[in-house]
Amino acid sequence: MEPHHVHDVLIPETDLEGRVAELAAGIGRDLDGRELVLVGILRGSFMFLADLVRSFHRHGIRTRIDFMILESYGSGTESSGTVRLARDCSIDVAGQDVLVVDDILDTGRTLSHAVRHLESRGALRVRTCVLLDKPSRRVVPFEADYVGFPVPDVFVVGYGLDYDHYYRDLPWISKVTFTG
Ligand code: 5GP
Ligand code: MG
Protein backbone atom coordinates (compact mmCIF):
# COMPACT_ATOMS: atom_id res chain seq x y z
CA MET A 1 0.00 0.00 0.00
CA GLU A 2 1.10 3.56 -0.65
CA PRO A 3 1.98 5.68 2.42
CA HIS A 4 -1.24 7.09 3.85
CA HIS A 5 -3.13 7.69 7.07
CA VAL A 6 -6.73 7.41 8.19
CA HIS A 7 -6.70 9.80 11.16
CA ASP A 8 -9.40 12.11 9.85
CA VAL A 9 -12.81 10.92 10.98
CA LEU A 10 -15.50 11.98 8.53
CA ILE A 11 -18.53 10.35 10.21
CA PRO A 12 -18.26 9.34 13.88
CA GLU A 13 -19.90 6.26 15.39
CA THR A 14 -22.76 8.10 17.08
CA ASP A 15 -23.77 9.77 13.80
CA LEU A 16 -23.77 6.41 12.02
CA GLU A 17 -25.88 4.86 14.76
CA GLY A 18 -28.44 7.66 14.66
CA ARG A 19 -28.72 7.73 10.89
CA VAL A 20 -29.09 3.93 10.59
CA ALA A 21 -32.02 4.06 13.03
CA GLU A 22 -33.64 6.88 11.00
CA LEU A 23 -33.18 4.97 7.73
CA ALA A 24 -34.71 1.80 9.20
CA ALA A 25 -37.70 3.74 10.51
CA GLY A 26 -38.23 5.45 7.13
CA ILE A 27 -37.92 2.24 5.14
CA GLY A 28 -40.33 0.57 7.57
CA ARG A 29 -42.95 3.29 7.07
CA ASP A 30 -42.72 2.90 3.27
CA LEU A 31 -43.15 -0.89 3.58
CA ASP A 32 -46.55 -0.59 5.15
CA GLY A 33 -46.47 -4.02 6.82
CA ARG A 34 -44.96 -5.99 3.94
CA GLU A 35 -41.88 -8.10 4.52
CA LEU A 36 -38.57 -7.51 2.86
CA VAL A 37 -35.80 -9.46 1.19
CA LEU A 38 -32.55 -7.68 1.94
CA VAL A 39 -29.72 -8.22 -0.49
CA GLY A 40 -26.36 -6.95 0.75
CA ILE A 41 -23.59 -6.34 -1.76
CA LEU A 42 -20.47 -7.99 -0.39
CA ARG A 43 -18.15 -7.20 1.02
CA GLY A 44 -18.53 -3.49 1.81
CA SER A 45 -22.13 -3.62 3.07
CA PHE A 46 -21.65 -6.18 5.85
CA MET A 47 -21.44 -3.81 8.82
CA PHE A 48 -24.12 -1.40 7.62
CA LEU A 49 -26.46 -4.32 6.89
CA ALA A 50 -25.82 -5.87 10.31
CA ASP A 51 -26.83 -2.65 12.06
CA LEU A 52 -29.75 -2.02 9.70
CA VAL A 53 -31.34 -5.45 10.25
CA ARG A 54 -31.19 -5.13 14.03
CA SER A 55 -32.93 -1.79 13.71
CA PHE A 56 -35.57 -3.36 11.43
CA HIS A 57 -36.12 -6.02 14.08
CA ARG A 58 -36.72 -3.35 16.73
CA HIS A 59 -39.36 -1.83 14.41
CA GLY A 60 -41.07 -5.24 13.99
CA ILE A 61 -40.12 -5.54 10.29
CA ARG A 62 -39.68 -9.10 9.04
CA THR A 63 -36.67 -9.59 6.80
CA ARG A 64 -34.89 -12.36 4.99
CA ILE A 65 -31.23 -11.68 4.36
CA ASP A 66 -29.04 -12.69 1.46
CA PHE A 67 -25.93 -11.44 -0.29
CA MET A 68 -24.59 -10.88 -3.77
CA ILE A 69 -21.00 -10.39 -4.83
CA LEU A 70 -20.44 -7.96 -7.66
CA GLU A 71 -16.94 -7.26 -8.81
CA SER A 72 -15.86 -4.30 -10.82
CA TYR A 73 -12.42 -4.83 -12.18
CA GLY A 74 -9.80 -2.24 -11.47
CA SER A 75 -6.99 -1.53 -9.08
CA GLY A 76 -6.32 0.76 -6.14
CA THR A 77 -9.05 3.32 -5.61
CA GLU A 78 -10.45 3.42 -9.15
CA SER A 79 -13.07 1.01 -10.46
CA SER A 80 -13.18 -0.13 -14.07
CA GLY A 81 -16.17 -0.02 -16.33
CA THR A 82 -17.17 -3.68 -16.19
CA VAL A 83 -19.27 -5.22 -13.44
CA ARG A 84 -19.43 -8.98 -13.05
CA LEU A 85 -21.86 -10.96 -10.89
CA ALA A 86 -19.52 -13.28 -8.96
CA ARG A 87 -22.20 -14.66 -6.63
CA ASP A 88 -25.96 -14.43 -7.01
CA CYS A 89 -28.34 -14.46 -4.05
CA SER A 90 -30.01 -17.79 -3.24
CA ILE A 91 -33.43 -16.57 -2.08
CA ASP A 92 -36.00 -16.66 -4.88
CA VAL A 93 -36.80 -12.96 -5.26
CA ALA A 94 -39.68 -13.46 -7.73
CA GLY A 95 -42.69 -11.48 -6.55
CA GLN A 96 -40.79 -10.09 -3.54
CA ASP A 97 -40.08 -6.63 -2.18
CA VAL A 98 -36.30 -6.35 -2.37
CA LEU A 99 -33.99 -3.83 -0.78
CA VAL A 100 -30.44 -3.81 -2.13
CA VAL A 101 -27.98 -2.54 0.48
CA ASP A 102 -24.55 -1.22 -0.38
CA ASP A 103 -21.83 0.75 1.35
CA ILE A 104 -21.37 3.56 -1.15
CA LEU A 105 -22.83 4.77 -4.42
CA ASP A 106 -20.02 6.06 -6.60
CA THR A 107 -20.15 5.73 -10.40
CA GLY A 108 -23.51 3.95 -10.11
CA ARG A 109 -22.38 0.93 -12.13
CA THR A 110 -22.62 -1.66 -9.33
CA LEU A 111 -26.10 -0.78 -8.11
CA SER A 112 -27.64 -0.28 -11.53
CA HIS A 113 -26.29 -3.72 -12.49
CA ALA A 114 -27.67 -5.26 -9.28
CA VAL A 115 -31.12 -3.72 -9.75
CA ARG A 116 -31.37 -4.85 -13.37
CA HIS A 117 -30.33 -8.35 -12.38
CA LEU A 118 -32.89 -8.66 -9.57
CA GLU A 119 -35.65 -7.28 -11.80
CA SER A 120 -34.73 -9.87 -14.41
CA ARG A 121 -35.23 -12.53 -11.73
CA GLY A 122 -38.79 -11.30 -11.29
CA ALA A 123 -38.60 -9.16 -8.13
CA LEU A 124 -41.82 -7.22 -7.61
CA ARG A 125 -40.12 -4.06 -6.42
CA VAL A 126 -36.42 -3.34 -6.07
CA ARG A 127 -35.35 -0.43 -3.91
CA THR A 128 -31.82 0.58 -2.97
CA CYS A 129 -30.25 1.82 0.22
CA VAL A 130 -26.68 3.09 0.55
CA LEU A 131 -24.85 4.39 3.56
CA LEU A 132 -22.82 6.89 1.53
CA ASP A 133 -23.37 8.68 -1.76
CA LYS A 134 -20.77 10.51 -3.88
CA PRO A 135 -23.10 12.27 -6.34
CA SER A 136 -20.24 14.09 -8.07
CA ARG A 137 -18.76 10.78 -9.27
CA ARG A 138 -21.74 9.38 -11.16
CA VAL A 139 -21.06 7.85 -14.58
CA VAL A 140 -24.32 5.92 -14.95
CA PRO A 141 -27.47 7.92 -14.13
CA PHE A 142 -28.65 6.32 -10.89
CA GLU A 143 -30.12 7.52 -7.60
CA ALA A 144 -30.60 5.40 -4.49
CA ASP A 145 -34.00 5.40 -2.78
CA TYR A 146 -32.42 5.77 0.66
CA VAL A 147 -29.11 7.51 1.39
CA GLY A 148 -27.37 7.73 4.77
CA PHE A 149 -24.92 10.55 4.09
CA PRO A 150 -23.74 12.40 0.98
CA VAL A 151 -19.93 12.60 0.93
CA PRO A 152 -17.48 14.64 -1.13
CA ASP A 153 -15.17 13.04 -3.68
CA VAL A 154 -12.62 11.67 -1.21
CA PHE A 155 -11.61 8.06 -0.62
CA VAL A 156 -13.22 6.76 2.57
CA VAL A 157 -12.73 3.66 4.70
CA GLY A 158 -14.26 2.05 7.77
CA TYR A 159 -17.63 0.62 8.75
CA GLY A 160 -17.22 -2.08 6.08
CA LEU A 161 -15.30 -0.05 3.48
CA ASP A 162 -11.71 -1.04 2.80
CA TYR A 163 -8.45 0.11 1.39
CA ASP A 164 -6.63 -2.99 0.08
CA HIS A 165 -8.73 -5.12 2.46
CA TYR A 166 -7.72 -3.11 5.55
CA TYR A 167 -9.84 -0.81 7.75
CA ARG A 168 -13.22 -2.53 7.22
CA ASP A 169 -13.26 -3.01 10.99
CA LEU A 170 -13.18 0.71 11.92
CA PRO A 171 -16.45 1.53 13.72
CA TRP A 172 -16.55 4.97 11.98
CA ILE A 173 -15.92 6.42 8.50
CA SER A 174 -12.49 7.95 7.95
CA LYS A 175 -10.99 9.79 5.05
CA VAL A 176 -7.82 8.31 3.55
CA THR A 177 -5.00 10.84 3.16
CA PHE A 178 -2.23 9.77 0.80
CA THR A 179 1.10 11.04 2.08
CA GLY A 180 3.51 9.64 -0.50
P1 5GP B 1 -19.79 2.11 -8.21
O1 5GP B 1 -20.13 0.91 -9.02
O2 5GP B 1 -20.97 2.93 -7.76
O3 5GP B 1 -18.72 2.94 -8.84
O4 5GP B 1 -18.98 1.55 -7.01
C1 5GP B 1 -19.42 1.25 -5.81
C2 5GP B 1 -18.29 0.50 -5.14
O5 5GP B 1 -17.01 1.16 -5.30
C3 5GP B 1 -18.55 0.46 -3.66
O6 5GP B 1 -19.36 -0.62 -3.31
C4 5GP B 1 -17.14 0.39 -3.12
O7 5GP B 1 -16.76 -0.97 -3.08
C5 5GP B 1 -16.27 1.12 -4.11
N1 5GP B 1 -15.98 2.50 -3.66
C6 5GP B 1 -16.37 3.65 -4.24
N2 5GP B 1 -15.92 4.72 -3.56
C7 5GP B 1 -15.24 4.23 -2.50
C8 5GP B 1 -14.54 4.85 -1.40
O8 5GP B 1 -14.45 6.07 -1.21
N3 5GP B 1 -13.96 4.00 -0.50
C9 5GP B 1 -14.01 2.64 -0.63
N4 5GP B 1 -13.41 1.92 0.31
N5 5GP B 1 -14.67 2.02 -1.65
C10 5GP B 1 -15.28 2.82 -2.57
MG1 MG C 1 -18.74 -2.56 -2.79
Side-chain angles (χ1 to χ4, degrees):
M1 281 197 285
E2 301 167 63
H4 67 278
H5 73 77
V6 297
H7 304 316
D8 301 312
V9 176
L10 206 62
I11 309 173
E13 267 183 276
T14 49
D15 290 14
L16 291 169
E17 199 185 309
R19 188 67 186 125
V20 169
E22 282 175 6
L23 286 170
I27 294 164
R29 274 193 300 276
D30 296 348
L31 271 174
D32 213 13
R34 294 186 305 273
E35 64 173 68
L36 198 56
V37 175
L38 287 169
V39 178
I41 308 296
L42 288 175
R43 294 176 287 269
S45 72
F46 82 95
M47 202 177 282
F48 178 40
L49 186 83
D51 284 342
L52 204 54
V53 295
R54 283 177 284 191
S55 198
F56 281 141
H57 182 82
R58 287 181 210 113
H59 286 90
I61 297 156
R62 265 162 70 97
T63 57
R64 285 180 291 161
I65 302 163
D66 207 339
F67 295 95
M68 270 169 43
I69 301 181
L70 290 163
E71 285 168 352
S72 63
Y73 286 102
S75 60
T77 60
E78 284 297 319
S79 81
S80 76
T82 348
V83 177
R84 187 179 77 94
L85 179 65
R87 184 202 181 269
D88 203 348
C89 63
S90 322
I91 294 176
D92 180 10
V93 295
Q96 303 297 312
D97 264 284
V98 178
L99 184 70
V100 183
V101 178
D102 206 358
D103 50 0
I104 186 166
L105 177 55
D106 186 40
T107 64
R109 290 187 183 110
T110 306
L111 274 184
S112 62
H113 193 281
V115 169
R116 253 183 288 125
H117 175 73
L118 292 161
E119 284 173 349
S120 77
R121 287 188 53 184
L124 178 68
R125 199 175 286 104
V126 183
R127 294 204 176 94
T128 54
C129 175
V130 293
L131 179 71
L132 308 175
D133 184 9
K134 281 183 189 169
S136 63
R137 294 261 308 162
R138 213 72 90 242
V139 170
V140 174
F142 189 91
E143 295 309 319
D145 297 288
Y146 305 96
V147 173
F149 301 90
V151 289
D153 184 12
V154 294
F155 196 74
V156 293
V157 291
Y159 200 68
L161 293 110
D162 74 307
Y163 175 44
D164 210 12
H165 305 288
Y166 288 94
Y167 307 121
R168 291 192 198 276
D169 56 322
L170 297 180
W172 52 81
I173 299 286
S174 273
K175 175 179 127 100
V176 180
T177 303
F178 296 95
T179 52

